[in-house]
Amino acid sequence: MTIPLLIIANKYDIYKDMESVQKKTISQALRFVAHSNGATLLTVGARDKASQNNLRMQLTQLLFRTSSSKKVELTNHDKPMAVPAGVDSFDNILKIPPKGTDVADFVGPRSVNSDANVTWARVMEDMFGPKRYGYRRWQPPPSTQPITNSVANAATDGHNASWQRQDLDPVPSLATPTLTNPPNRSGARSLDDVEGEEKKEDEVFLEPAVDDMRSQRE
């Protein structure tokens, strides 16, 4: 059983005021992503009744598993698009590739290129810029290599780093901790006081015996 996928581009009110070349490039990118993933594509605007009707009809078909006798296929980038899954083609989408690219940058002889989305990201960034629309430059995923002491030191060199990686700390000593007496705040005798008194009692008890031994030797 296949799961239907629906892509809704809901910024048509902003999209329609863009330049024609910009709208064409955006529509190509959306159609490419939708077709490569087997999805239906709709562009919807809050003030556009036709696009809202397309969305309502598409949701009704998906939720109630019905088919409509009215087939809607709109790929014109100057109007709200409604492209059902499976009716589009890469030949139609890339009939005129974006500036600075070629069809081979997106599709190969048998399938979609693995870096096609990266190419689309570069095309969008070259057209709109990373700052104007808040688009972040694509970066490869971080390395999965474990962080070593030299890497951690290089990363924090010249910076005020207030953190410290716990997994880089040496193994703590397993020596038996030394017991210390807590401060005597209640007036009770501490351990040192008790030991001192016991030592004095032992000296008093042993002193006569030591004297007797000395007298016998003399």
Side-chain angles (χ1 to χ4, degrees):
M1 178 180 178
T2 59
I3 299 176
L5 181 62
L6 176 62
I7 298 177
I8 302 174
N10 63 342
K11 297 295 184 181
Y12 178 75
D13 297 324
I14 300 176
Y15 166 89
K16 68 179 182 179
D17 295 329
M18 293 181 178
E19 299 177 1
S20 179
V21 63
Q22 295 177 335
K23 290 189 290 185
K24 181 179 180 180
T25 305
I26 293 175
S27 67
Q28 283 182 302
L30 291 175
R31 290 172 59 189
F32 184 90
V33 173
H35 185 61
S36 60
N37 290 277
T40 297
L41 172 65
L42 296 177
T43 54
V44 182
R47 299 179 181 86
D48 189 87
K49 296 298 182 181
S51 65
Q52 295 176 10
N53 291 334
N54 291 336
L55 175 61
R56 188 180 297 109
M57 181 179 63
Q58 188 64 44
L59 291 178
T60 301
Q61 294 178 12
L62 293 177
L63 292 175
F64 299 101
R65 298 182 181 180
T66 60
S67 59
S68 176
S69 58
K70 182 180 179 181
K71 300 296 182 179
V72 179
E73 180 182 352
L74 302 172
T75 58
N76 187 351
H77 61 271
D78 289 323
K79 297 180 180 180
M81 291 188 297
V83 187
V87 302
D88 214 343
S89 66
F90 291 124
D91 292 336
N92 291 333
I93 296 172
L94 300 172
K95 186 178 297 184
I96 302 178
K99 183 179 179 180
T101 64
D102 190 75
V103 177
D105 296 330
F106 302 99
V107 293
R110 297 183 178 180
S111 62
V112 177
N113 291 344
S114 58
D115 58 346
N117 292 335
V118 178
T119 304
W120 279 116
R122 179 177 56 81
V123 170
M124 291 298 173
E125 186 171 307
D126 292 342
M127 176 168 291
F128 297 104
K131 294 183 179 180
R132 181 179 177 185
Y133 289 90
Y135 184 85
R136 293 185 177 181
R137 182 182 294 272
W138 183 88
Q139 294 181 352
S143 175
T144 56
Q145 296 295 329
I147 298 178
T148 60
N149 287 326
S150 58
V151 175
N153 294 335
T156 59
D157 187 25
H159 298 276
N160 248 345
S162 59
W163 55 271
Q164 183 179 10
R165 290 183 59 89
Q166 297 297 328
D167 54 341
L168 298 181
D169 293 339
V171 178
S173 175
L174 300 179
T176 304
T178 304
L179 296 177
T180 57
N181 294 327
N184 189 0
R185 299 175 181 175
S186 61
R189 294 181 303 169
S190 63
L191 182 60
D192 292 337
D193 295 338
V194 174
E195 291 178 352
E197 293 180 0
E198 292 179 353
K199 185 177 181 180
K200 290 180 181 179
E201 292 178 358
D202 292 340
E203 291 177 354
V204 173
F205 178 77
L206 294 175
E207 187 174 356
V210 173
D211 294 339
D212 292 342
M213 293 175 63
R214 287 176 179 174
S215 59
Q216 290 178 4
R217 290 179 181 178
E218 292 175 355

